[in-house]
Amino acid sequence: MGDCIFCKIANHEIPAEVLYEDDQVLAFRDLNPQAPVHFLVIPKIHIESVNALDDETFPVVQAVFKAVQILAKELNFADAGYRVVTNCGVDGGQTVGHLHYHVLAGRNLTWPPG
Ligand code: DGP
């Protein structure tokens, strides 16, 4: 998608602090961190949100969680615990229309979220 900021990050057209990359997904630190560790995992292909996943694209969710698991171990927060969340649509608080999973760690995360 031409004007999608996360597509541009996935294509390395604009800079980001990349933590992990494979053929399907990219993980990079969030611009506006809400925890000591806060990064996003995105599919490289443009998918608007969970609503837009289909039989062809569902496997990318598996790739996302594989990246989460790898980084949780690499960055040493797997045992302490963490949160993975994807915001969907207006009520979900989604501000970027490219599917992304927030990974938050490094502090005790409260529940419920706001
Ligand atoms: P959401 O509200 O779930 O759509 O979260 C979007 C997140 O994306 C938000 O936490 C800030 C982050 N973000 C937006 N633009 C950029 C960017 O250009 N670079 C990086 N690293 N993060 C961004």
Side-chain angles (χ1 to χ4, degrees), residues 68-89:
V68 170
Q69 193 184 68
I70 288 167
L71 286 170
K73 285 180 192 147
E74 257 184 40
L75 301 178
N76 283 314
F77 60 79
D79 291 340
Y82 56 98
R83 183 169 295 160
V84 184
V85 62
T86 183
N87 298 324
C88 183

Side-chain angles (χ1 to χ4, degrees), residues 26-99:
L26 187 82
F28 56 95
R29 291 201 193 271
D30 195 290
L31 205 57
N32 183 23
Q34 302 298 314
V37 177
H38 184 178
F39 60 85
L40 305 172
V41 187
I42 64 168
K44 287 187 168 178
I45 57 167
H46 186 85
I47 300 168
E48 186 81 12
S49 74
V50 169
N51 285 341
L53 284 162
D54 58 22
D55 285 348
E56 195 184 323
T57 53
F58 274 126
V60 83
V61 178
Q62 184 174 343
V64 165
F65 278 90
K66 189 174 172 191
V68 170
Q69 193 184 68
I70 288 167
L71 286 170
K73 285 180 192 147
E74 257 184 40
L75 301 178
N76 283 314
F77 60 79
D79 291 340
Y82 56 98
R83 183 169 295 160
V84 184
V85 62
T86 183
N87 298 324
C88 183
V90 174
D91 279 1
Q94 184 177 9
T95 60
V96 178
H98 181 125
L99 181 66

Side-chain angles (χ1 to χ4, degrees), residues 35-37 77 80-82 104-109:
V37 177
F77 60 79
Y82 56 98
L104 301 126
R107 68 172 171 84
N108 196 259
L109 299 158

